[in-house]
Amino acid sequence: MTAPVVIVTLVLVGYPLLRGVYLSLTDATEANMGRTIGMNVIPSTYEFVGLANYADILTSSTFVARLTWTVVWTIVCVVLHVGIGLGMAMLLNRPMRLRSLYRVLLVLPWAVPAFVSAFIWRYLLNGEFGVVNAMLRAVGFGGISWLDDPFWAKVSVIACNVWLGVPFMMLALLGGLQSIPRELHEAAEVDGATPWQRFRHITVPGLRPVSSTVVLLGTIWTFNQFPVIFLLTKGGPGGATEILVTYAYRQAFEGIRDYSGSAAWGLVILALLVVLAGVYRRALKQQGEAW
């Protein structure tokens, strides 16, 4: 029964991964890869170079700069995802009129494909014709170079990604909130516990089975969030918003295509995420939680 899934996974994930590992150990580029042009077959001339690509990456200033921004980008986005998502989930967990309508409206950003949302945000934040700057000028403020200034470009991509990611966190945490027995809150309230004490000692522990998983998923998704960065700022201005995954893409598909370098970058990203997941899982085990 698992054979179809295993076969599809091996074809779609296993083979590309093994091919990437092989290419990362060579000096394969667009210039020395084999190809067929009409009736002419040009053989490959790339060579095995071992771990040279990895050494070049880990000793380069580019890697340090891109990794630093990627970590900052991931932490800020995930913290805002969880914080805003939890706040909205707690509001929707309370009895209110039109609650079902609010849930549908709040989940719409997650339902819209990421590339569509990125194009919409790019239009909204256009420095000359964007809606946001038009609203700022209407109330007497000057326009902001949202996508052309390094600082504001970082703010823009974070805002777009938060808008995209909050609905998922909200739905997941709302499900976790609804699984917490109301009797616990009622008993704590009768005993004189304040709202903060009920939140700290009942809500937070009750959400851990859900929050521990969605935080890890959100971290992995944000770390690899290609569409928002590439479509909104293309990694600019001047590489200010370039994260590891968009830089690896540029290596493989722009200029003289460096397939071996891009594969090495991809495997470095994979290794970082595996280490992160391992550390996170170990931390959960130390807290007495199974994951």
Side-chain angles (χ1 to χ4, degrees):
M1 294 181 67
T2 60
V5 177
V6 172
I7 293 172
V8 171
T9 302
L10 290 176
V11 172
L12 297 181
V13 178
Y15 172 73
L17 179 60
L18 293 176
R19 178 66 173 170
V21 172
Y22 169 72
L23 287 176
S24 71
L25 301 175
T26 68
D27 61 353
T29 65
E30 185 179 22
N32 57 26
M33 286 287 286
R35 65 183 69 86
T36 300
I37 304 177
M39 300 295 294
N40 300 315
V41 178
I42 302 175
S44 300
T45 58
Y46 60 84
E47 299 177 350
F48 183 82
V49 296
L51 300 177
N53 290 318
Y54 296 98
D56 291 341
I57 291 173
L58 297 177
T59 58
S60 67
S61 59
T62 300
F63 173 72
V64 176
R66 298 291 177 264
L67 177 62
T68 301
W69 161 238
T70 303
V71 171
V72 171
W73 145 268
T74 303
I75 292 175
V76 172
C77 287
V78 172
V79 168
L80 291 175
H81 284 162
V82 175
I84 298 174
L86 177 57
M88 295 172 67
M90 294 184 68
L91 289 175
L92 290 178
N93 196 41
R94 303 173 62 183
M96 65 173 67
R97 296 179 59 186
L98 303 177
R99 182 168 63 174
S100 299
L101 176 61
Y102 295 148
R103 290 181 182 178
V104 173
L105 293 176
L106 291 173
V107 82
L108 282 179
W110 187 46
V112 176
F115 73 92
V116 175
S117 298
F119 282 128
I120 293 173
W121 275 81
R122 187 173 179 84
Y123 167 72
L124 293 174
L125 298 173
N126 183 276
E128 188 174 355
F129 306 106
V131 175
V132 175
N133 275 351
M135 295 173 63
L136 290 175
R137 295 187 186 103
V139 295
F141 295 100
I144 297 175
S145 299
W146 294 103
L147 304 179
D148 299 320
D149 179 82
F151 172 77
W152 289 113
K154 292 178 179 180
V155 173
S156 299
V157 294
I158 289 174
C160 178
N161 192 56
V162 168
W163 186 78
L164 284 170
V166 162
F168 169 77
M169 287 291 179
M170 179 194 70
L171 285 178
L173 295 175
L174 179 59
L177 288 173
Q178 292 178 344
S179 68
I180 300 175
R182 292 188 177 275
E183 292 80 5
L184 296 177
H185 287 280
E186 294 172 355
E189 187 174 2
V190 170
D191 289 340
T194 63
W196 167 250
Q197 289 174 326
R198 296 198 300 271
F199 174 79
R200 179 181 175 185
H201 297 289
I202 298 176
T203 302
V204 173
L207 282 177
R208 280 179 182 168
V210 174
S211 63
S212 59
T213 301
V214 296
V215 167
L216 180 61
L217 289 175
T219 300
I220 294 173
W221 291 341
T222 303
F223 200 91
N224 288 324
Q225 182 60 273
F226 178 86
V228 170
I229 298 291
F230 191 79
L231 298 177
L232 197 59
T233 65
K234 296 187 181 298
T241 59
E242 193 94 84
I243 59 175
L244 293 176
V245 68
T246 57
Y247 188 79
Y249 170 86
R250 292 185 186 280
Q251 292 287 97
F253 296 103
E254 293 185 0
I256 299 178
R257 301 179 178 183
D258 184 2
Y259 301 125
S260 58
S262 177
W265 276 92
L267 288 168
V268 167
I269 294 170
L270 175 61
L272 290 172
L273 290 175
V274 169
V275 170
L276 171 66
V279 171
Y280 186 76
R281 182 170 178 268
R282 185 172 181 178
L284 290 180
K285 280 189 173 182
Q286 290 179 347
Q287 295 177 7
E289 297 182 30
W291 180 81

